[in-house]
Amino acid sequence: MRAVTTSKKHAELRRPDGQAVRVLVVDDESTLAELMSMALRMETWEVRTALDGASAVRTAREFRPDAVVLDVMLPDFDGIEVLRRLRAEQPNLPVLFLTAKDAVEDRIAGLTAGGDDYVTKPFSLEEVVLRLRALMRRTGVTEATAGAELVVGDLRLDEDTREVHRGGRSIDLTATEFELLRYLMRNPKRVLSKAQILDRVWSYDFGGQANIVELYISYLRKKIDAGHEPMIHTMRGAGYVLKPAP
């Protein structure tokens, strides 16, 4: 595979308590896992590796990572099952999937299962670093939140506790769903294009994969609008808008 060591100097990211960011790398190719570990350690992050699903679950239980780089294809059980087991103990753990270039079904399965992002092989190590940095920034791993509450109609989002309620009902969101909803709620009644959403929520160009926005909008609708008058609307050819229900 193509692997390039990181050469750009990034601003240092640390956990809100000042400790080093912890990342777990899970890949059955030991050489690749070590290359990724070296690149991540150059960011001053603490890194552990695992070569199969069982050891990944054991390591995560002891290491308590802030983010995970997770290969879909593993020798014992697949990355989807690893994700399920990790999230059972750390529900908001950010996960970046690694998938084969032509395995579209793997990417869809990973995102549907709750993965926050993915990169396809072959990839550069710089890309993995950039995506992890963006993922940890948007999920609040590396910065303290301001503690503001956003309110649109009967929908409430607490940026400190990361709790979401509509009509008094608690709504559980993944890290990416939360960030997408926060962006929509910070711009009520404003039409946001797919390009704007990609830039703000994912922090980079998905390389033509703008349908990822459609996928996550559909997830939000099922959780936010289910049983209520819809708040999230599609403006054909323009984008999406969130506004109070009538």
Side-chain angles (χ1 to χ4, degrees):
M1 66 159 289
R2 175 170 57 94
V4 181
T5 56
T6 55
S7 58
K8 297 180 180 178
K9 180 64 177 178
H10 304 297
E12 184 176 353
L13 294 184
R14 300 189 73 84
R15 298 167 65 182
D17 62 5
Q19 295 184 14
V21 169
R22 296 178 179 180
V23 180
L24 173 61
V25 175
V26 185
D27 196 299
D28 63 338
E29 297 181 51
S30 58
T31 301
L32 175 57
E34 185 56 34
L35 283 172
M36 283 191 286
S37 297
M38 290 172 60
L40 300 181
R41 290 189 180 105
M42 289 176 64
E43 300 292 312
T44 71
W45 299 345
E46 188 176 348
V47 184
R48 299 278 182 89
T49 61
L51 302 180
D52 57 46
S55 59
V57 174
R58 288 196 303 270
T59 302
R61 186 173 293 124
E62 181 270 329
F63 184 49
R64 304 299 290 180
D66 297 303
V68 178
V69 181
L70 177 59
D71 194 3
V72 172
M73 299 300 296
L74 295 170
D76 46 2
F77 44 86
D78 64 22
I80 307 300
E81 176 62 17
V82 174
L83 173 65
R84 186 188 70 78
R85 298 188 188 191
L86 294 181
R87 287 274 175 81
E89 298 195 20
Q90 291 180 257
N92 298 315
L93 180 64
V95 173
L96 173 70
F97 270 117
L98 305 177
T99 71
K101 185 175 182 180
D102 57 352
V104 177
E105 66 278 4
D106 286 345
R107 298 198 293 273
I108 294 174
L111 293 172
T112 302
D116 299 288
D117 198 359
Y118 67 86
V119 292
T120 56
K121 298 179 179 180
F123 53 77
S124 71
L125 298 179
E126 176 73 13
E127 180 182 17
V128 173
V129 170
L130 288 174
R131 295 206 183 189
L132 270 178
R133 290 174 64 88
L135 178 57
M136 287 190 287
R137 281 198 303 268
R138 73 174 185 257
T139 55
V141 168
T142 57
E143 61 182 9
T145 54
E149 183 177 67
L150 303 177
V151 180
V152 178
D154 61 348
L155 181 63
R156 294 176 176 272
L157 180 150
D158 191 310
E159 294 186 300
D160 188 12
T161 64
R162 303 183 75 82
E163 294 178 338
V164 176
H165 294 83
R166 182 169 185 193
R169 177 176 62 89
S170 178
I171 300 171
D172 293 325
L173 300 179
T174 67
T176 301
E177 290 168 351
F178 180 89
E179 189 62 26
L180 174 56
L181 180 62
R182 174 159 58 179
Y183 184 46
L184 293 173
M185 292 184 70
R186 283 179 172 175
N187 297 274
K189 300 182 181 180
R190 177 186 173 193
V191 178
L192 301 170
S193 69
K194 289 182 180 178
Q196 288 175 306
I197 294 173
L198 280 172
D199 181 66
R200 173 59 183 83
V201 178
W202 279 269
S203 302
Y204 59 88
D205 183 359
F206 243 77
Q209 297 294 327
N211 59 341
I212 193 68
V213 176
E214 298 174 13
L215 182 65
Y216 271 86
I217 287 289
S218 71
Y219 292 163
L220 272 187
R221 281 178 167 145
K222 291 176 183 177
K223 295 183 177 182
I224 300 300
D225 289 341
H228 300 273
E229 289 291 324
M231 295 182 67
I232 303 172
H233 303 271
T234 301
M235 309 302 289
R236 191 173 300 275
Y240 302 95
V241 60
L242 182 140
K243 54 188 178 181

